[in-house]
Amino acid sequence: MANALETMDLIAKESLVIAKNEMVMLDRIDRQHSSEFSNDTGDSIRIRKRTRYEAVDGADVTGKIRDIVQGTTTLTLDKFKSVPVALSSTDLTLELDDFNKSITEPAMIELCQQVETDLAELYKQVYWFTGTAGSTPSTLTDINAMRSALTYAGVPAGDRTAFYTPDAMTKLSDGLKGVFPTGIATRAIEASSIGRYALFQDVVESVSLVNHIVGDYGGTPLLNGAAQETTYEATRNTGTQSLITDGWTASKTGLLLEGDVFTIAGVFAVNPKTRQSTGSLQTFVVRADADSNVGGASTLTISPAIITSGAFQSVFVAGGTVPDGAAIQVVSGTANEQYPQNLGLHKDAFTVAFANLVEPMGGARSARETMDNVSVRVVYDYDSLTDTNIIRYDVLYGVLAQNPQFAVRQTG
């Protein structure tokens, strides 16, 4: 390999170039927080959530001035992924280009896949939900359903990307070929990328999207108790609340699983800008696995929190109070079945941060490189007792749904 292992920085640089080429979701979300981590911050940083304000009437604002109420969330570097490779004598004779193709490229493809799968798993925190469980998206109407959900949610029109599974992209490419101008149709067919459409900067294929397994629910679920709404002040950091329910099948373990979605009769979504009902029922996501007791009751941890007034109003309910006995309908699919979770994201919905891993002490050769807030470390070592050469590619990172209201799921 022309002594390339003596210049580990070249391998590290090439690793990042390969990673950049392999990014699909990672390249279209926020990565600005990597630079905020240091020895002083440790492995976690606090991120301020977006705030909102409510206008008041008249020129005189006496008694109407409001304090800033702003929540925070935590981004933690808690995922360490490594691809260690044993090198033979033959491997060590490769030229650098061949080494990168044979060793570095597959290693970085795997690491990028791991990061993007962790990002896709954040769907469990996304409560905006479209599509029909068991039906693969295939038309312009399907794409526009995600666009509409994001627009009604007050999400800025720029920096949006829709991510679809390969099966969905196959059907979309075929179903929309008569709709697109020739150039876009060709791109959709050849590159599995539709380009700018329905206010998305791009509609792309991702193999990292995951399936959601629906809980083992049953029964006729209802709210158990009136006035279960809450306030932003009480939920500003978690974005969640507890919801008391009953009427489920008794003694079910895994009644609902994290990521399950449901609606409540009479509880409608609102546009956060106008605070007017959209006319559609609000979709709520279950944020922790839930069981039912012997009486069929279950307390759910849900998002968004049910806030019926003020700057952070999340729902519209006639009379401002959620009624006792309101019917609950699970919409994430049939019990115990699994469904692909396509995603529509604004860039600021999810974030990922990478650490600049320290280079090891001792006799190992190493290098680390950072590009566009993505960092990788490469380490080479030799065990003379076993005559084994080892090269490892390492990343330390964290992912966070910093603004889950800026994302929408579309089931398949």
Side-chain angles (χ1 to χ4, degrees):
M1 195 173 56
N3 294 322
L5 289 177
E6 295 180 1
T7 55
M8 293 298 295
D9 59 320
L10 295 179
I11 297 176
K13 285 185 173 71
E14 182 63 19
S15 298
L16 282 177
V17 171
I18 294 170
K20 184 71 173 176
N21 291 336
E22 291 299 321
M23 292 177 186
V24 177
M25 188 177 297
L26 187 60
D27 200 35
R28 293 170 170 87
I29 65 163
D30 174 56
R31 301 195 302 272
Q32 65 176 323
H33 297 292
S34 294
S35 60
E36 298 177 29
F37 286 91
S38 66
N39 291 335
D40 294 330
T41 62
D43 62 359
S44 298
I45 59 170
R46 304 284 286 177
I47 300 174
R48 291 182 180 273
K49 294 185 178 182
R50 291 171 178 252
T51 192
R52 297 184 197 164
Y53 300 99
E54 190 174 21
V56 298
D57 291 327
D60 187 351
V61 296
T62 302
K64 302 176 183 178
I65 300 174
R66 301 288 184 264
D67 293 333
I68 296 176
V69 180
Q70 190 171 29
T72 60
T73 187
T74 301
L75 175 57
T76 302
L77 301 176
D78 57 357
K79 300 181 185 300
F80 191 112
K81 299 293 173 69
S82 179
V83 175
V85 181
L87 301 175
S88 67
S89 298
T90 301
D91 294 326
L92 294 177
T93 65
L94 294 173
E95 294 296 326
L96 182 58
D97 288 345
D98 293 331
F99 184 89
N100 285 330
K101 185 173 182 62
S102 300
I103 310 298
T104 301
E105 183 173 335
M108 293 311 300
I109 288 174
E110 171 62 16
L111 287 179
C112 283
Q113 181 65 59
Q114 291 291 316
V115 177
E116 297 212 339
T117 297
D118 284 329
L119 284 167
E121 287 281 357
L122 294 175
Y123 84 86
K124 294 178 181 179
Q125 300 180 41
V126 175
Y127 49 81
W128 296 119
F129 186 87
T130 67
T132 301
S135 179
T136 303
S138 61
T139 68
L140 177 60
T141 300
D142 294 316
I143 300 174
N144 270 317
M146 290 212 291
R147 173 202 57 79
S148 177
L150 291 177
T151 300
Y152 271 129
V155 178
D159 291 326
R160 297 183 188 179
T161 304
F163 301 94
Y164 281 98
T165 65
D167 285 344
M169 281 298 292
T170 297
K171 289 199 171 185
L172 285 169
S173 297
D174 182 65
L176 299 175
K177 62 187 178 184
V179 177
F180 293 138
T182 302
I184 299 178
T186 300
R187 184 180 179 193
I189 294 168
E190 294 180 351
S192 292
S193 176
I194 294 173
R196 289 181 178 270
Y197 219 81
L199 293 184
F200 288 104
Q201 279 192 316
D202 208 350
V203 181
V204 299
E205 179 179 275
S206 173
V207 297
S208 300
L209 298 173
V210 297
N211 289 348
H212 173 68
I213 300 175
V214 181
D216 189 22
Y217 70 91
T220 307
L222 307 169
L223 290 192
N224 183 8
Q228 293 198 51
E229 57 271 10
T230 185
T231 64
Y232 180 72
E233 287 80 358
T235 61
R236 61 183 178 177
N237 290 334
T238 64
T240 66
Q241 72 165 92
S242 295
L243 190 72
I244 303 171
T245 67
D246 60 8
W248 301 96
T249 301
S251 303
K252 280 284 188 180
T253 299
L255 173 80
L256 292 175
L257 301 181
E258 182 184 10
D260 273 328
V261 180
F262 65 91
T263 60
I264 303 171
V267 181
F268 294 90
V270 297
N271 183 315
K273 294 181 178 180
T274 65
R275 301 180 189 89
Q276 299 296 308
S277 171
T278 66
S280 299
L281 293 177
Q282 175 65 52
T283 47
F284 297 91
V285 66
V286 177
R287 291 291 303 276
D289 293 356
D291 307 326
S292 60
N293 64 18
V294 293
S298 183
T299 298
L300 310 177
T301 302
I302 68 165
S303 178
I306 300 174
I307 302 171
T308 58
S309 63
F312 291 90
Q313 181 178 347
S314 63
V315 299
F316 170 83
V317 183
T321 299
V322 182
D324 180 27
I328 293 172
Q329 180 179 1
V330 178
V331 297
S332 43
T334 303
N336 301 306
E337 296 294 328
Q338 58 179 314
Y339 305 92
Q341 300 299 295
N342 305 290
L343 289 169
L345 303 175
H346 183 275
K347 183 178 181 180
D348 291 339
F350 296 169
T351 190
V352 61
F354 289 81
N356 289 321
L357 283 166
V358 297
E359 297 188 49
M361 300 177 67
R365 300 169 182 173
S366 65
R368 64 181 183 185
E369 291 289 337
T370 300
M371 179 175 66
D372 296 336
N373 286 322
V374 177
S375 182
V376 64
R377 181 184 68 180
V378 182
V379 180
Y380 169 74
D381 204 1
Y382 175 73
D383 185 343
S384 61
L385 295 179
T386 61
D387 190 28
T388 302
N389 301 278
I390 298 292
I391 189 168
R392 56 182 294 168
Y393 302 80
D394 301 322
V395 290
L396 173 62
Y397 63 96
V399 299
L400 175 70
Q402 60 180 351
N403 293 295
Q405 73 276 17
F406 276 24
V408 58
R409 296 157 58 179
Q410 186 165 81
T411 190

